[in-house]
Amino acid sequence: MDLQNRQKLHIAMFPWLAYGHIMPFFQVAMFLAEKGHHVSYISTPKNIDRLPQIPTNLSSRLSYIQLPLPQLDGLPEGAESTAELPIHKVPYLKKAHDLLQLPLTNFLQDSRVNWIIHDFISHWLPPVAAQLGVNSVFFSIYSAATLCFTGPPSDVIAGRRQKPEDFTVVPEWIDFQSNLAFKPYETLINQDGMDDSVSDYLRAAFVLQDCRVVILRSCAEFEPDALRLLGKMLQKPVLPVGLLAPSLQDSAAGEHWPVLKDWLDSKENNSVVYAAFGTEMTLSQELLHELAYGLEKSGLPFIWIIKNRPLVEGESGLDHLLPPGFQDRVSGTGLVWTDWAPQLRILAHPSIGGFLTHSGWSSVIEALGLGRPLILLPGSSDTGLVARLMHSRRLGLEVERNEQDGSFTRDSVADCIRRVVVDQEGEPLRANARAVRDIFGSTHLSYKHLDEFTRFIENYTASTKSL
Ligand SMILES: *[C@@H]1O[C@H](CO)[C@@H](O)[C@H](O)[C@H]1NC(C)=O
Ligand SMILES: *[C@@H]1O[C@H](CO)[C@@H](O)[C@H](O)[C@H]1NC(C)=O
Ligand SMILES: *[C@@H]1O[C@H](CO)[C@@H](O)[C@H](O)[C@H]1NC(C)=O
């Protein structure tokens, strides 16, 4: 079928209110619009404002639809995404998001939508869509391994795992060699972010059970076993849409890039540690200090991104965050950066030798797309599972921590950094990270998978129409 004869679809996109979800949804939206479909990208006003401008040649096909976030007691005023909230406030964002059900239903009803691509949070959406004759696609921005860990929907809904300990063992349904399980301290952090009335597992289980199609940010080239298991476990189409690595050419450099580049240019190839923890990680002041001392003790040059948003809850200002005299001692070898940083550009610089990361799937994809080995220090959500996966695939090492409270020492940080970046024993890790670059960094591969998904929904719509 050429484009002319192909039916143009109206596809709505509805991501969870977190940056790591909003951007992959946007990439898929752009792709579908490029293919000639009409796409309505739905989110709250502040999140829409942060999205890139729609290219003029797509402006007739891609529209932003703003649905104001309903106010809710307990949700700080003006907050519309997880990045603006400490983790214990995130449950309120989930509840406020649930209140979008009515305006979203109205939109679907009035707009002749054929498909809606949505997130795991909106567990109420697939039945609503089905009633309106709209096909639902659950887009999991997580790895296939993470989705396997969630488990068969009927088991989750029946409440087979309840206690925190249930999440610290490899689930029995995982039928391949795996270390997928949370650490005790991770289950406790995750509990803080969940809505008591409907846990994240339950949300995901309802969505997995009721949607028509599952797509996910993965590919068989990297996770063949997990994808095969998902197909078997879910008994519905499961289509990987590729790793969706962002393109270096399209990534913003920002006004400070020349300063950062000069600094990086002055360092030897593969010698600098790039440390960044996303927008959502919170550490105690004590651990933040251990981290700082660990970086210092590694003896390697580093760039450490500390966002304006305090890493330590309730504290802000570098004086509180960093140990006394730290900046003076490391000046020249260590750069503490509090502004926005062009992560992709930094990771692409030849001086970067390793990435100390909170192990968010997006960050990991960016780093491996550029062949950088990982020093893994996970936080909340699925990051523990991503760290286990990367450690077991020998693409990085996890910093050793106390399993109960998650604490770590400066020595374990320094040791892990040196093993990944410079020690002889880390050479296989570095070679592995370089080797997966062809999978993680390939936009061609993502396009191929996205194209298969696009054909699938085109064909699905056509074949159900003719029934
Ligand atoms: C829109 O323009 C970009 C370059 O600016 C081009 O790569 C793309 O193919 C164009 N898309 C369409 C649908 O014309
Ligand atoms: C550093 O890496 C760059 C890019 O790979 C390369 O062009 C350059 O020759 C390298 N420099 C040294 C001193 O090896
Ligand atoms: C299109 O759908 C039909 C009927 O469901 C199926 O037999 C055929 O293989 C599909 N083609 C593609 C390209 O997916």
Side-chain angles (χ1 to χ4, degrees):
M1 281 188 286
D2 60 28
L3 192 72
Q4 294 248 297
N5 297 329
R6 236 155 46 188
Q7 193 203 169
K8 288 206 172 48
L9 301 169
H10 183 184
I11 302 159
M13 314 259 327
F14 186 55
W16 165 230
L17 306 172
Y19 190 75
H21 296 240
I22 285 167
M23 286 320 288
F25 270 71
F26 178 74
Q27 284 173 280
V28 173
M30 286 284 285
F31 187 90
L32 292 168
E34 280 282 352
K35 290 286 166 184
H37 297 298
H38 182 61
V39 180
S40 295
Y41 189 106
I42 306 166
S43 193
T44 64
K46 257 171 110 175
N47 287 306
I48 295 278
D49 279 350
R50 278 193 288 256
L51 282 167
Q53 275 220 302
I54 296 170
T56 23
N57 64 356
L58 295 181
S59 61
S60 62
R61 302 188 198 150
L62 177 55
S63 332
Y64 289 146
I65 310 291
Q66 305 194 3
L67 300 181
L69 188 67
Q71 278 304 302
L72 190 81
D73 275 351
L75 183 69
E77 208 178 311
E80 294 186 11
S81 70
T82 53
E84 298 160 80
L85 295 169
I87 189 157
H88 67 271
K89 291 282 185 189
V90 170
Y92 296 101
L93 190 66
K94 292 177 181 166
K95 287 184 205 291
H97 179 266
D98 287 343
L99 297 175
L100 289 171
Q101 178 172 350
L102 189 62
L104 182 70
T105 307
N106 290 339
F107 174 81
L108 293 178
Q109 220 153 16
D110 298 342
S111 315
R112 304 173 64 85
V113 170
N114 305 104
W115 289 83
I116 180 155
I117 302 179
H118 57 87
D119 222 314
F120 79 98
I121 292 284
S122 23
H123 59 294
W124 37 267
L125 182 51
V128 167
Q131 227 167 29
L132 296 172
V134 176
N135 293 312
S136 56
V137 177
F138 166 36
F139 178 17
S140 165
I141 56 102
Y142 301 107
S143 70
T146 291
L147 213 51
C148 282
F149 185 84
T150 302
S154 53
D155 283 30
V156 182
I157 293 166
R160 240 172 84 181
R161 282 185 306 195
Q162 293 286 344
K163 303 183 295 301
E165 310 83 276
D166 297 341
F167 298 91
T168 60
V169 291
V170 179
E172 65 193 43
W173 54 79
I174 305 266
D175 64 359
F176 49 90
Q177 184 65 36
S178 173
N179 63 347
L180 277 183
F182 284 110
K183 307 280 187 196
Y185 65 91
E186 290 166 343
T187 65
L188 300 179
I189 307 175
N190 284 344
Q191 208 62 42
D192 277 353
M194 289 204 207
D195 170 8
D196 289 338
S197 48
V198 211
S199 76
D200 286 357
Y201 291 106
L202 212 45
R203 286 175 185 266
F206 283 122
V207 162
L208 285 168
Q209 174 186 267
D210 296 334
C211 71
R212 292 270 160 110
V213 179
V214 177
I215 61 175
L216 67 170
R217 192 176 186 186
S218 180
C219 63
E221 290 77 5
F222 185 65
E223 298 189 276
D225 294 330
L227 285 166
R228 176 194 43 74
L229 175 59
L230 283 173
K232 188 176 102 182
M233 203 157 80
L234 299 172
Q235 296 291 313
K236 61 179 68 179
V238 175
L239 308 173
V241 290
L243 293 158
L244 307 175
S247 112
L248 189 58
Q249 279 142 358
D250 298 346
S251 73
E255 52 175 328
H256 299 302
W257 174 238
V259 178
L260 286 163
K261 184 175 180 301
D262 274 353
W263 190 91
L264 288 163
D265 283 345
S266 74
K267 306 293 180 243
E268 281 175 32
N269 278 359
N270 303 311
S271 72
V272 176
V273 180
Y274 171 59
F277 299 93
T279 48
E280 290 159 32
M281 184 144 161
T282 305
L283 287 175
S284 69
Q285 187 174 50
E286 191 191 339
L287 288 185
L288 204 56
H289 283 191
E290 285 306 307
L291 191 58
Y293 286 124
L295 277 163
E296 185 181 352
K297 211 167 169 193
S298 77
L300 296 174
F302 63 85
I303 293 190
W304 184 7
I305 312 300
I306 300 187
K307 296 270 161 59
N308 280 334
R309 178 175 184 273
L311 271 173
V312 177
E313 207 179 300
E315 296 281 356
S316 56
L318 288 184
D319 291 347
H320 287 285
L321 298 179
L322 299 173
F326 178 75
Q327 295 220 73
D328 290 338
R329 285 199 308 279
V330 300
S331 77
T333 55
L335 186 60
V336 176
W337 191 261
T338 52
D339 246 304
W340 180 82
Q343 173 151 304
L344 208 56
R345 303 262 166 156
I346 296 173
L347 283 167
H349 195 279
S351 70
I352 297 298
F355 180 25
L356 174 53
T357 171
H358 72 301
S359 317
W361 190 223
S362 292
S363 287
V364 163
I365 289 170
E366 289 181 14
L368 292 177
L370 294 159
R372 305 299 178 210
L374 308 165
I375 302 133
L376 303 153
L377 191 68
S380 62
S381 184
D382 68 322
T383 56
L385 298 177
V386 174
R388 299 304 102 75
L389 179 65
M390 293 300 142
H391 184 97
S392 72
R393 298 290 288 270
R394 309 218 10 97
L395 294 163
L397 288 180
E398 279 201 60
V399 174
E400 256 180 60
R401 300 167 83 161
N402 177 306
E403 302 243 319
Q404 298 307 318
D405 63 13
S407 62
F408 51 81
T409 64
R410 59 195 74 179
D411 289 324
S412 57
V413 173
D415 180 56
C416 191
I417 289 174
R418 292 200 62 89
R419 282 161 72 192
V420 171
V421 181
V422 284
D423 287 355
Q424 185 57 39
E425 66 161 292
E427 183 47 39
L429 301 177
R430 299 192 283 275
N432 290 343
R434 284 192 297 272
V436 294
R437 198 180 160 140
D438 289 344
I439 296 175
F440 278 81
S442 165
T443 39
H444 170 76
L445 198 56
S446 285
Y447 282 165
K448 180 181 138 235
H449 290 297
L450 276 169
D451 205 44
E452 281 163 15
F453 164 61
T454 310
R455 282 169 199 278
F456 179 90
I457 57 171
E458 288 165 356
N459 186 39
Y460 189 99
T461 313
S463 57
T464 47
K465 275 266 161 59
S466 60
L467 286 178

XYZ file of all heavy atoms in Angstrom, residues 222 367-374 389-397 420 425-440:
274
model
N 18.169 -6.595 21.551
C 18.751 -6.534 22.893
C 18.038 -7.434 23.907
O 18.688 -8.018 24.769
C 18.766 -5.085 23.420
C 19.463 -4.943 24.754
C 20.826 -5.206 24.866
C 18.765 -4.583 25.899
C 21.473 -5.108 26.096
C 19.410 -4.478 27.131
C 20.773 -4.743 27.224
N 23.395 6.782 26.941
C 24.813 6.485 27.175
C 25.288 5.316 26.307
O 26.352 5.375 25.691
C 25.053 6.172 28.647
N 24.499 4.243 26.255
C 24.925 3.078 25.476
C 24.853 3.369 23.981
O 25.611 2.796 23.196
C 24.091 1.854 25.848
C 24.336 1.325 27.276
C 23.402 0.157 27.582
C 25.791 0.909 27.491
N 23.974 4.281 23.602
C 23.925 4.708 22.210
C 25.226 5.375 21.793
O 25.529 5.502 20.611
N 25.995 5.827 22.785
C 27.282 6.447 22.505
C 28.431 5.584 23.014
O 29.581 6.036 23.095
C 27.320 7.847 23.133
C 26.318 8.807 22.471
C 25.980 9.975 23.372
C 26.845 9.298 21.131
N 28.112 4.359 23.405
C 29.159 3.409 23.785
C 29.793 3.637 25.144
O 30.918 3.194 25.382
N 29.073 4.321 26.071
C 29.671 4.616 27.384
C 29.287 3.578 28.432
O 28.096 3.309 28.623
C 29.199 5.990 27.890
C 29.450 7.129 26.937
C 30.919 7.311 26.666
N 31.142 8.389 25.701
C 32.168 8.414 24.864
N 33.055 7.443 24.861
N 32.310 9.415 24.030
N 30.259 3.012 29.139
C 29.945 2.046 30.196
C 29.316 2.735 31.422
O 29.500 3.935 31.619
C 31.301 1.441 30.539
C 32.286 2.504 30.205
C 31.710 3.263 29.032
N 28.613 1.956 32.237
C 27.754 2.527 33.267
C 28.240 2.224 34.688
O 28.625 1.099 34.999
C 26.342 1.956 33.109
C 25.744 2.075 31.705
C 24.524 1.151 31.574
C 25.346 3.526 31.429
N 19.691 -5.359 35.258
C 19.805 -5.818 33.872
C 21.163 -5.437 33.270
O 21.855 -6.255 32.673
C 18.661 -5.221 33.041
C 18.617 -5.552 31.552
C 18.374 -7.046 31.340
C 17.511 -4.752 30.838
N 21.560 -4.196 33.465
C 22.809 -3.711 32.862
C 24.030 -4.359 33.510
O 25.010 -4.669 32.846
C 22.897 -2.186 33.006
C 21.856 -1.466 32.206
S 22.063 -1.857 30.452
C 20.384 -1.970 29.940
N 23.936 -4.571 34.821
C 25.022 -5.236 35.540
C 25.162 -6.674 35.026
O 26.269 -7.139 34.741
C 24.716 -5.210 37.044
C 25.804 -5.771 37.917
N 26.738 -4.971 38.539
C 26.107 -7.044 38.249
C 27.572 -5.739 39.230
N 27.210 -7.010 39.066
N 24.030 -7.359 34.877
C 24.097 -8.766 34.455
C 24.527 -8.896 32.991
O 25.139 -9.891 32.615
C 22.753 -9.469 34.672
O 21.814 -9.016 33.721
N 24.222 -7.882 32.189
C 24.649 -7.946 30.785
C 26.078 -7.419 30.614
O 26.575 -7.266 29.515
C 23.676 -7.145 29.906
C 22.254 -7.678 29.930
C 22.118 -9.012 29.222
N 22.232 -8.866 27.789
C 21.205 -8.635 26.955
N 19.975 -8.542 27.420
N 21.404 -8.519 25.663
N 26.716 -7.107 31.724
C 28.107 -6.647 31.756
C 28.329 -5.379 30.916
O 29.299 -5.246 30.181
C 29.077 -7.766 31.352
C 28.800 -9.039 32.147
C 29.947 -9.899 32.625
N 31.304 -9.454 32.537
C 31.978 -8.892 33.540
N 31.377 -8.650 34.691
N 33.231 -8.576 33.380
N 27.386 -4.444 31.077
C 27.523 -3.140 30.422
C 27.865 -2.074 31.452
O 27.978 -0.893 31.141
C 26.223 -2.792 29.696
C 25.925 -3.725 28.514
C 24.477 -3.633 28.088
C 26.860 -3.407 27.347
N 28.006 -2.509 32.697
C 28.352 -1.596 33.773
C 28.384 -2.365 35.068
O 28.205 -3.584 35.086
N 28.622 -1.624 36.168
C 28.649 -2.246 37.492
C 27.800 -1.425 38.445
O 27.783 -0.195 38.373
C 30.081 -2.263 38.034
C 31.101 -3.203 37.423
C 32.437 -3.006 38.153
C 30.643 -4.658 37.522
N 35.069 0.536 36.409
C 34.358 0.712 35.129
C 35.187 1.542 34.142
O 35.236 1.233 32.959
C 32.976 1.375 35.357
C 32.327 1.767 34.036
C 32.063 0.440 36.145
N 40.547 -4.789 34.748
C 39.449 -5.765 34.837
C 38.141 -5.235 34.236
O 37.241 -6.006 33.933
C 39.212 -6.186 36.292
C 38.696 -5.052 37.157
C 38.022 -5.546 38.440
O 36.955 -6.163 38.372
O 38.592 -5.266 39.513
N 38.063 -3.911 34.039
C 36.854 -3.341 33.460
C 36.860 -3.299 31.934
O 35.872 -2.920 31.320
N 37.960 -3.711 31.331
C 38.052 -3.618 29.877
C 36.918 -4.368 29.149
O 36.349 -3.839 28.188
C 39.444 -4.066 29.400
C 39.697 -3.946 27.896
C 39.272 -2.607 27.265
O 39.471 -1.554 27.898
O 38.711 -2.634 26.137
N 36.544 -5.579 29.626
C 35.418 -6.257 28.953
C 34.114 -5.433 29.007
O 33.352 -5.410 28.037
C 35.255 -7.559 29.747
C 36.574 -7.797 30.393
C 37.160 -6.448 30.654
N 33.872 -4.765 30.134
C 32.676 -3.924 30.240
C 32.725 -2.809 29.201
O 31.745 -2.509 28.525
C 32.580 -3.246 31.618
C 32.521 -4.085 32.880
C 32.515 -3.167 34.097
C 31.253 -4.927 32.867
N 33.893 -2.190 29.111
C 34.041 -1.072 28.167
C 33.877 -1.565 26.729
O 33.250 -0.903 25.901
C 35.401 -0.391 28.379
C 35.550 0.196 29.787
C 36.744 1.118 29.926
N 38.030 0.438 30.039
C 38.559 -0.030 31.174
N 37.889 0.091 32.325
N 39.745 -0.618 31.194
N 34.407 -2.760 26.459
C 34.264 -3.317 25.111
C 32.790 -3.646 24.828
O 32.283 -3.378 23.735
C 35.125 -4.569 24.973
N 32.097 -4.191 25.835
C 30.672 -4.501 25.644
C 29.866 -3.236 25.362
O 28.982 -3.227 24.506
C 30.091 -5.182 26.887
C 30.619 -6.587 27.079
O 31.166 -7.174 26.146
N 30.467 -7.131 28.275
N 30.170 -2.185 26.118
C 29.428 -0.929 25.942
C 29.659 -0.364 24.535
O 28.737 0.134 23.894
C 29.834 0.095 27.012
N 30.894 -0.487 24.055
C 31.159 -0.016 22.686
C 30.400 -0.867 21.667
O 29.879 -0.368 20.682
C 32.671 -0.086 22.378
C 33.480 1.024 23.023
C 34.902 1.077 22.454
N 35.681 -0.123 22.717
C 36.424 -0.315 23.821
N 36.484 0.620 24.761
N 37.113 -1.437 23.987
N 30.317 -2.176 21.975
C 29.706 -3.087 20.999
C 28.190 -2.884 20.866
O 27.645 -3.056 19.772
C 30.010 -4.538 21.379
N 27.495 -2.530 21.960
C 26.028 -2.396 21.856
C 25.601 -1.052 21.265
O 24.423 -0.788 21.077
C 25.291 -2.605 23.204
C 25.443 -4.035 23.693
C 25.726 -1.597 24.247
N 26.576 -0.211 21.009
C 26.309 1.075 20.386
C 25.479 0.928 19.100
O 24.596 1.732 18.816
C 27.678 1.667 20.046
C 27.700 3.090 19.794
C 29.126 3.471 19.480
N 29.058 4.731 18.791
C 29.899 5.732 18.968
N 30.920 5.582 19.759
N 29.733 6.858 18.340
N 25.781 -0.113 18.347
C 25.069 -0.347 17.082
C 23.588 -0.618 17.303
O 22.777 -0.396 16.414
C 25.646 -1.577 16.357
C 27.019 -1.286 15.799
O 27.367 -0.085 15.700
O 27.751 -2.238 15.489
N 23.244 -1.157 18.469
C 21.833 -1.423 18.766
C 21.200 -0.202 19.423
O 20.154 0.279 18.998
C 21.705 -2.643 19.708
C 22.215 -3.900 19.008
C 20.263 -2.810 20.171
C 22.242 -5.133 19.897
N 21.859 0.318 20.460
C 21.253 1.408 21.244
C 21.237 2.738 20.505
O 20.370 3.561 20.720
C 21.983 1.550 22.587
C 21.504 0.565 23.608
C 21.963 -0.740 23.604
C 20.568 0.927 24.562
C 21.501 -1.659 24.528
C 20.100 0.017 25.491
C 20.571 -1.285 25.471
